[in-house]
Amino acid sequence: SMSLREHALSLFRSAVGTVCPAPMLKKAVKLQGDGCPQLLVKGQAFAVKRDLYLVGFGKAVLGMAAAAEEILGDHLVRGVISVPLGIQENLQRAGMQEMLLKPHSKIQVMEGAKNNLPDPEALKGAVAIQELAEGLNADDLLLVLISGGGSALLPAPIPPILLEEKEKLTKTLASRGAAIQELNVVRKTLSLLKGGGLAQLAYPAQVVSLILSDVIGDPLDIIASGPTAASSHSMQDCLRILAKYNLLHNLPKSVETVLSCSPTKPTAPEDYSHVCNIIIGSNTLALDEAKCQAEGLGYTALILSTAICGEVSRVATLYCQLIRLVCLSFAGLGEGPLSDEVRGNLLQLAAELEIPGLNLAEFLQALQILGPEKPVCILAGGETTVQLQGTGKGGRNQELALRVGLGLHRAQATEGYRRQQPLTGRCEIIFLSGGTDGQDGPTEAAGAFCSPELVDEALQEGLDAEAFLSNNDSYTFFSQFQGGRHLLVTGLTGTNVMDIQAILIRVT
């Protein structure tokens, strides 16, 4: 029989596989009919009256474009995509031919945005995309491919603003503590293509956007700064933010010029009747696939949330308490003072973390009725944050796994002492956290696995988990521990729908 660890790995791989560009596009997009062909996207039909064009921007767009070109065939006249610097070479090296365009492709690839920052190369890509969109007419259809990282790859400040002026303003705002949402509002207001600008330039052509979401809740106007979605913000919002951070009085002349000519109201929704935005890949889709697979392996599978966010140490505590509750319930202690205490802690933690759309009370009810006959799989997704205190090497997923391992170790020590009943009793537990893009921080790992035994086994090898954590050095810890066999290494996946966590528990 497979180990829990092998099960966790196979669930992670199937979740990522379902949001890989090629299978995802082929599931969502079809072209049918010869005389007057129709593009079918998730059941919606769009007539291809004359020419079909394609543009795209984002970290996963190269693979999306390769699959799209295969589906569209000769109907595709021309395309331009803006993708991260070096991505073609990386995918080539990783042997991922299916993510690359064919030699005589009609799609022009432009690389830019080194270190995920807008640069002159990304600006060239944006200008080429803008020119293509402006040249379309009413009988044309423009297919737009969008994924995370698209914002940096589509910089096109409204003239006369220069790229470096816009960048400097954004950096100043960030240094004064502006939230990412506020930065995006200012960026969109000063941009030609963001905040629905691209869709407006392509009018009167029909615009169909296929979106791979890497943002919690999948908000259309936030993913890649919403180039084809009506912006919910106006120029007034931008001015309010600049005033809040005391920047109204020393703006570059060019920014003042643009702000004085900007329309004061956001574009009306009816101005977007030629646009259809469709999310074809997200964390939700990935978790649904993992849940199906887990059930196929004989687990009772539950999805906790696709919007896990917050400081990594708090999220680790949430997972540790959840694991304790399942183990107590398996040991027939689902009712009683200890379970009530753990349940109370969980509800308080969830309230403090403010995870969008999480109904924990309902989730805990579903947990309460589980018996030890069937193993349990709890799945979740989202994106945590790490407060850096040290100078070590790691990423949020490896840090989360190490913190969960440490939390389970501590709970086991206190609980065993209190009631001669170790927390895990006869439970075998594995926890996995991984980034769906295959990269966790500046490391070649996507994440890591842990179990309650991790800390004790590490101590036997002379490794002190707490010392590594206080230096944010989770990668070094896992690399040295048992030859790195607890690291999750997948290589670049060519997709990105945030992170995935899996908790697997069975009675031994």
Side-chain angles (χ1 to χ4, degrees):
S1 82
M2 280 166 84
S3 69
L4 287 192
R5 193 198 139 99
E6 287 166 326
H7 282 171
L9 181 60
S10 91
L11 296 180
F12 182 78
R13 287 193 189 279
S14 62
V16 171
T18 203
V19 288
C20 268
M24 190 177 63
L25 251 124
K26 286 171 186 165
K27 233 186 260 174
V29 182
K30 308 245 178 312
L31 193 67
Q32 67 172 33
D34 289 330
C36 182
Q38 280 189 322
L39 186 69
L40 289 180
V41 184
K42 281 198 160 178
Q44 295 187 62
F46 303 95
V48 181
K49 295 180 199 146
R50 207 183 71 169
D51 291 338
L52 219 160
Y53 293 88
L54 178 149
V55 297
F57 29 89
K59 293 180 181 178
V61 157
L62 190 61
M64 289 167 83
E69 185 162 30
E70 208 176 298
I71 295 164
L72 304 173
D74 293 337
H75 292 284
L76 178 65
V77 177
R78 190 176 152 239
V80 179
I81 58 173
S82 174
V83 296
L85 189 69
I87 189 165
Q88 294 178 97
E89 196 191 331
N90 287 346
L91 292 172
Q92 186 92 49
R93 261 210 315 269
M96 296 168 84
Q97 289 331 97
E98 74 283 2
M99 300 261 186
L100 296 167
L101 295 168
K102 300 282 182 285
H104 304 291
S105 169
K106 291 176 187 165
I107 299 170
Q108 182 187 1
V109 181
M110 304 188 75
E111 294 191 355
K114 189 179 179 183
N115 299 328
N116 205 20
L117 295 168
D119 57 14
E121 296 309 306
L123 182 58
K124 280 183 201 156
V127 169
I129 287 171
Q130 178 192 336
E131 286 169 354
L132 187 150
E134 284 173 333
L136 303 178
N137 66 39
D139 286 338
D140 294 326
L141 190 143
L142 178 66
L143 194 61
V144 184
L145 308 176
I146 301 176
S147 78
S151 203
L153 287 159
L154 199 70
I158 299 171
I161 301 175
L162 300 173
L163 184 62
E164 41 276 21
E165 291 176 318
K166 189 177 158 191
E167 274 315 282
K168 193 176 166 196
L169 180 61
T170 314
K171 280 199 178 115
T172 310
L173 270 170
S175 70
R176 295 193 181 181
I180 182 74
Q181 288 81 356
E182 294 176 315
L183 293 174
N184 280 342
V185 171
V186 174
R187 268 190 205 133
K188 283 196 290 192
T189 312
L190 304 179
S191 171
L192 217 47
L193 301 175
K194 295 179 172 123
L198 178 63
Q200 293 300 313
L201 290 177
Y203 182 84
Q206 167 79 56
V207 176
V208 180
S209 285
L210 308 181
I211 302 167
L212 179 65
S213 168
D214 69 334
V215 182
I216 283 175
D218 309 334
L220 291 173
D221 64 332
I222 302 289
I223 302 163
S225 303
T228 56
S231 173
S232 44
H233 304 103
S234 67
M235 206 252 315
Q236 295 324 110
D237 296 313
C238 178
L239 290 172
R240 247 197 310 279
I241 291 162
L242 293 171
K244 176 178 165 183
Y245 294 101
N246 257 336
L247 287 168
L248 274 183
H249 304 297
N250 46 5
L251 290 173
K253 269 273 158 285
S254 57
V255 174
E256 283 181 3
T257 307
V258 166
L259 288 174
S260 64
C261 315
S262 297
T264 50
K265 287 192 174 63
T267 357
E270 53 271 22
D271 295 335
Y272 289 86
S273 56
H274 64 300
V275 183
C276 187
N277 288 305
I278 302 168
I279 290 194
I280 62 166
S282 65
N283 194 273
T284 307
L285 285 170
L287 288 181
D288 286 344
E289 176 64 24
K291 180 175 189 274
C292 282
Q293 296 286 335
E295 286 167 347
L297 290 168
Y299 287 83
T300 301
L302 301 165
I303 294 176
L304 173 66
S305 163
T306 57
I308 296 289
C309 54
E311 219 284 308
V312 69
S313 59
R314 313 293 303 275
V315 175
T317 308
L318 180 84
Y319 285 139
C320 287
Q321 300 281 11
L322 265 179
I323 291 167
R324 286 178 71 188
L325 204 56
V326 175
C327 292
L328 285 166
S329 152
F330 276 7
L333 300 168
E335 300 290 329
L338 196 52
S339 284
D340 291 346
E341 183 192 322
V342 175
R343 214 172 277 120
N345 290 345
L346 270 168
L347 290 165
Q348 190 183 335
L349 247 177
E352 288 167 14
L353 281 166
E354 293 180 345
I355 292 165
L358 171 61
N359 185 342
L360 189 64
E362 197 178 291
F363 185 84
L364 294 181
Q365 252 174 331
L367 272 189
Q368 220 167 343
I369 50 178
L370 299 179
E373 316 64 65
K374 266 177 103 170
V376 169
C377 170
I378 297 172
L379 295 157
E383 208 156 272
T384 57
T385 45
V386 176
Q387 299 283 328
L388 285 177
Q389 254 110 37
T391 53
K393 195 173 178 190
R396 57 180 183 258
N397 289 290
Q398 293 162 76
E399 176 138 343
L400 179 58
L402 187 47
R403 285 188 182 279
V404 169
L406 187 61
L408 293 175
H409 167 76
R410 285 180 182 154
Q412 204 161 12
T414 54
E415 221 130 279
Y417 172 75
R418 256 213 326 246
R419 45 173 55 232
Q420 269 48 74
Q421 156 76 35
L423 145 89
T424 51
R426 301 164 297 130
C427 285
E428 188 191 346
I429 300 161
I430 202 96
F431 173 84
L432 165 131
S433 186
T436 54
D437 58 356
Q439 235 177 347
D440 187 35
T443 75
E444 84 276 13
F449 301 86
C450 79
S451 68
E453 296 74 45
L454 178 87
V455 173
D456 276 337
E457 289 170 6
L459 282 169
Q460 285 164 15
E461 290 189 28
L463 299 171
D464 176 358
E466 286 185 57
F468 283 95
L469 270 176
S470 59
N471 192 31
N472 297 113
D473 206 10
S474 52
Y475 175 74
T476 310
F477 170 87
F478 282 116
S479 305
Q480 293 181 9
F481 177 57
Q482 293 188 351
R485 68 176 218 92
H486 291 280
L487 283 172
L488 170 67
V489 182
T490 59
L492 284 180
T493 61
T495 189
N496 182 17
V497 293
M498 302 184 289
D499 303 334
I500 285 175
Q501 282 97 42
I503 299 168
L504 275 57
I505 305 174
R506 70 178 170 201
V507 173
T508 47

